[in-house]
């Protein structure tokens, strides 16, 4: 047995909201696989990931953004088994990282995004928006760490997480983590977990919109926040459709 | 058109409506006035079918149907419009999208063909114009960032688009300045006044004040107090209430 490849457990901070049974079933070999992406100075790239039943399990992305580069990742985690996307980003001077993620689904699976954004140099910016919609006994998590290095002045980092639980029994967890070693920085984070807005539902019904259509409109509007920054309109609509399509089969 | 007979309703286990009876015929405008806490808004919500407003007795018949047996969206499709005292903000859903969904859902329930995007926008533009609301505002999320007066005008634009048989308007006059009050009053008349040979229409105005009634002249005025109608009369009753107060008139 190679102890270096020991499986993580929920005692590890970065895995605390994961599903213990699912972790025990992971293949240690796969856990050490990183997909590396490096952007050269001024380069811009956007990656879209749909983690559905074709790609459950753990995926790891490492982004290295050179000066003034712009990297964006938009993802849906909707597989019916444990699904985790880890993203580690290192930003050089003036680089920007954008993350938009949606966890959606039912069953008893945990779906989570774990990001670590390292502002290594001054004037870099990052923005992360995660939305979770769950029902059944499903769980959606966002663990977002932001590290601002000692010299990384004028860092502007934001992360926002909101979850809607459509049924009792579903859950969501947010774990923002800020490590700031510079003094002239802006780091914002916010998290909210709740049920669908009943007041809006009745307002829509009073105008003749059936409950299932009303809920779909409300959930779509909620999820759309995560993809606002995706510039390609066709890609944005396609991702939104894929996320909303997961709602079919819910008791919506 | 609407017959309410001995209606009892509770909210959170507390009885608010205690045997309310009211009859509205097509072509009539009724006003319900009354002090705070009398049950005015509760009446609107009960008729609209809001969850948490439980009917414990009595019957409501609307256009020959048992209104209370219908779901809220079915009541709307049957021709009931509830104007909200506090219109709800819905971020991320535009008014145009919201109202097109609403109108086409109602048409679908009634077995009518949906309106195309172009037809809908033409209708929406006409009704927005009637209420002097900039059409651009209907492209924004529902009620988000609207002033109190804009929300009330937008309610009336919605009423114009959905073209109901019965409008129950809960304090539509609150939050309006004098000019907006006139625009809204004229809008209600244009949309809801019965036309000769036109479809049946009626209005139930829920209000604290006489001022909206200067523009939308009621045929009947009722005083609601303690969960039931305690006095009914013609338009002069509203003037008497304004002059003497609820306590003196309803006692």
């Amino acid at each position: 047995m190679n102890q270096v490849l020991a499986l993580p457990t929920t005692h590890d901070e970065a895995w605390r909201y994961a599903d213990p049974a699912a972790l025990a079933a992971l293949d240690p070999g796969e856990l050490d696989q990183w997909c590396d992406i490096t952007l050269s100075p001024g380069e811009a790239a956007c990656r879209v990931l749909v983690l559905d039943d074709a790609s459950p399990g753990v995926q790891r992305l490492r982004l290295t953004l050179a000066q003034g580069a712009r990297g964006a990742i938009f993802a849906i985690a909707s597989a019916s088994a444990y699904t985790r996307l880890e993203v580690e980003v290192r930003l050089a001077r003036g680089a920007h990282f954008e993350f938009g993620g949606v966890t959606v689904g039912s069953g008893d699976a945990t779906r989570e995004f774990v990001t670590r954004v390292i502002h290594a140099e001054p004037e870099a910016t990052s923005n992360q928006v995660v939305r979770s919609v769950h029902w059944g006994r499903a769980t959606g998590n966002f663990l977002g760490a932001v590290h601002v290095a000692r010299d990384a002045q004028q860092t502007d980092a934001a992360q926002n997480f909101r979850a809607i639980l459509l049924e009792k029994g579903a859950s969501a967890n947010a774990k923002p983590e800020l490590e700031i070693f510079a003094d002239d920085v802006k780091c914002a984070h916010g998290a909210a977990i709740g049920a669908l807005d009943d007041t809006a539902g009745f307002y829509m019904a009073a105008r003749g919109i059936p409950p299932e259509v009303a809920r779909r409109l409300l959930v779509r509007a909620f999820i759309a926040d995560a993809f606002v920054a995706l510039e390609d309109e066709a890609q944005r609509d396609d991702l939104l459709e894929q996320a909303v399509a997961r709602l079919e089969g819910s008791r919506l | 058109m609407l017959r309410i007979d001995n209606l009892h309703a509770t909210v959170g286990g507390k009885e608010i409506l205690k045997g309310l009876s009211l009859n509205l015929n097509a072509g009539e405008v009724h006003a319900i006035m009354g002090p705070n806490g009398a049950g005015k808004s509760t009446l609107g919500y009960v008729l609209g079918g809001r969850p948490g407003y439980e009917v414990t007795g009595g019957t409501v018949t609307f256009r020959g149907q048992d209104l209370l047996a219908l779901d809220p969206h079915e009541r709307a499709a049957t021709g009931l419009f509830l104007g909200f005292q506090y219109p709800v903000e819905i971020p991320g859903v535009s008014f145009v999208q919201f109202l097109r969904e609403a109108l086409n859902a109602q048409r679908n329930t009634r077995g009518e063909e949906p309106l195309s995007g172009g037809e809908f926008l033409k209708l929406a533009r006409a009704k927005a114009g009637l209420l002097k609301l900039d059409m651009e505002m209907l492209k924004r999320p529902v009620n988000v960032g609207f002033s109190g007066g804009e929300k009330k005008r937008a309610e009336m634009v919605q009423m114009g688009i959905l073209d109901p048989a019965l409008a129950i308007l809960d304090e539509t006059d609150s939050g309006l300045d004098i000019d907006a009050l006139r625009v809204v009053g004229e809008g209600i008349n244009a949309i809801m006044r019965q036309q000769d040979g036109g479809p049946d229409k009626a209005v139930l105005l829920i209000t604290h004040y006489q001022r909206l009634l200067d523009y939308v002249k009621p045929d009947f005025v009722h005083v609601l107090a303690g969960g039931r109608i305690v006095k009914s009369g013609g338009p002069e009753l509203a003037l008497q209430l304004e002059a003497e107060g609820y306590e003196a008139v309803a006692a």
Side-chain angles (χ1 to χ4, degrees):
Chain A
M1 284 295 287
N2 186 342
Q3 289 306 309
V4 177
L5 293 180
L7 286 168
T9 73
T10 50
H11 295 297
D12 300 319
E13 266 305 301
W15 299 83
R16 63 185 292 174
Y17 298 118
D19 171 5
L23 292 188
L26 291 175
D27 174 357
E30 277 181 10
L31 268 184
D32 212 29
Q33 311 262 319
W34 284 87
C35 169
D36 277 292
I37 302 168
T38 302
L39 300 189
S40 38
E43 197 182 349
C46 172
R47 179 164 290 205
V48 169
L49 297 162
V50 177
L51 308 178
D52 55 14
D53 282 330
S55 48
V58 179
Q59 316 250 348
R60 286 173 155 168
L61 277 177
R62 192 151 46 202
L63 253 73
T64 308
L65 305 181
Q67 186 166 339
R70 298 179 67 82
I73 294 172
F74 296 95
I76 298 173
S78 63
S80 37
Y82 177 61
T83 309
R84 174 182 175 106
L85 173 65
E86 283 187 38
V87 182
E88 191 176 296
V89 188
R90 185 185 183 282
L91 297 116
R93 180 182 288 270
H96 177 75
F97 171 61
E98 185 76 38
F99 181 72
V102 169
T103 72
V104 56
S106 62
D108 56 6
T110 296
R111 303 163 181 92
E112 59 187 358
F113 296 121
V114 182
T115 64
R116 179 167 174 78
V117 178
I118 302 159
H119 287 256
E121 295 181 13
E123 294 161 20
T125 53
S126 62
N127 185 46
Q128 306 179 70
V129 179
V130 175
R131 295 290 177 263
S132 290
V133 179
H134 294 288
W135 60 102
R137 302 198 54 78
T139 300
N141 302 328
F142 176 44
L143 290 76
V146 173
H147 178 93
V148 181
R150 194 169 303 279
D151 301 324
Q153 304 296 356
Q154 270 138 42
T155 286
D156 190 340
Q159 51 173 254
N160 183 277
F161 173 72
R162 281 171 60 202
I164 286 180
L165 307 176
L166 297 174
E167 292 175 350
K168 258 191 189 128
S171 58
N173 300 285
K175 184 173 176 286
E177 192 182 333
L178 307 176
E179 292 177 305
I180 304 170
F181 294 100
D183 50 21
D184 180 15
V185 302
K186 276 205 286 194
C187 287
H189 68 89
I193 298 168
L196 208 56
D197 183 354
D198 283 345
T199 318
F202 175 62
Y203 190 60
M204 292 173 128
R207 298 295 173 258
I209 299 177
E212 64 279 7
V213 178
R215 287 190 206 114
R216 212 175 300 137
L217 279 172
L218 291 172
V219 169
R220 172 189 294 266
F222 177 77
I223 287 175
D225 287 353
F227 303 137
V228 166
L230 178 52
E231 282 160 18
D232 185 322
E233 199 176 323
Q235 260 188 332
R236 189 171 64 219
D237 290 348
D238 179 54
L239 259 194
L240 190 54
E241 285 312 318
Q242 292 202 51
V244 172
R246 288 294 297 179
L247 295 168
E248 310 299 336
S250 74
R251 271 192 252 145
L252 279 183
Chain B
M1 173 176 294
L2 180 75
R3 176 180 289 276
I4 304 172
D5 192 24
N6 196 28
L7 185 63
H8 291 253
T10 59
V11 183
K14 186 168 185 270
E15 186 168 56
I16 306 290
L17 299 183
K18 302 169 183 173
L20 188 145
S21 297
L22 189 65
N23 196 13
L24 265 83
N25 297 311
E28 294 174 353
V29 173
H30 290 238
I32 288 195
M33 305 180 78
N36 286 325
K40 300 193 300 297
S41 291
T42 297
L43 175 62
Y45 285 142
V46 166
L47 295 177
R50 183 173 186 154
Y53 289 71
E54 200 187 336
V55 174
T56 51
T59 56
V60 180
T61 311
F62 176 54
R63 303 181 101 182
Q65 289 193 62
D66 176 4
L67 186 74
L68 303 176
L70 301 175
D71 284 338
H73 70 282
E74 296 167 336
R75 300 182 191 194
T78 311
L80 179 74
F81 179 88
L82 181 61
F84 281 55
Q85 182 181 1
Y86 302 109
V88 180
E89 298 184 5
I90 310 177
V93 180
S94 79
F95 253 124
V96 167
Q97 184 187 17
F98 169 70
L99 284 169
R100 198 177 157 204
E101 289 280 356
L103 180 60
N104 283 337
Q106 288 200 19
R107 292 176 68 91
N108 183 48
T109 307
R110 295 192 295 257
E112 299 165 11
E113 289 294 310
L115 240 51
S116 74
E119 290 167 324
F120 174 78
L121 285 176
K122 198 175 156 198
L123 176 66
R125 197 166 285 121
K127 301 304 178 185
L130 189 64
L131 272 303
K132 298 189 168 51
L133 192 76
D134 188 349
M135 185 61 194
E136 286 302 307
M137 293 191 72
L138 294 186
K139 293 175 182 164
R140 293 178 14 194
V142 175
N143 290 319
V144 176
F146 283 45
S147 71
E150 285 166 347
K151 285 179 182 171
K152 294 304 175 69
R153 267 189 285 165
E155 288 286 288
M156 296 302 98
V157 173
Q158 296 181 45
M159 185 172 77
I161 290 169
L162 298 173
D163 194 27
L166 172 65
I168 299 169
L169 305 179
D170 188 5
E171 295 202 23
T172 293
D173 51 344
S174 68
L176 295 179
D177 62 32
I178 294 165
D179 292 332
L181 184 68
R182 182 173 46 78
V183 169
V184 163
E186 288 169 355
I188 294 171
N189 289 330
I191 296 162
M192 294 305 299
R193 280 287 176 192
Q194 179 99 40
Q195 310 285 327
D196 281 339
D200 287 353
K201 299 219 170 217
V203 179
L204 183 59
L205 296 169
I206 296 173
T207 183
H208 270 297
Y209 303 107
Q210 154 70 26
R211 55 184 204 163
L212 179 64
L213 307 182
D214 289 338
Y215 296 102
V216 187
K217 300 232 179 322
D219 302 294
F220 300 94
V221 174
H222 311 275
V223 181
L224 176 58
R228 58 170 73 88
I229 304 289
V230 295
K231 193 169 180 130
S232 295
E236 72 287 346
L237 180 57
L239 296 168
Q240 191 193 348
L241 285 168
E242 189 95 336
E244 300 174 19
Y246 294 121
E247 280 191 30
V249 176

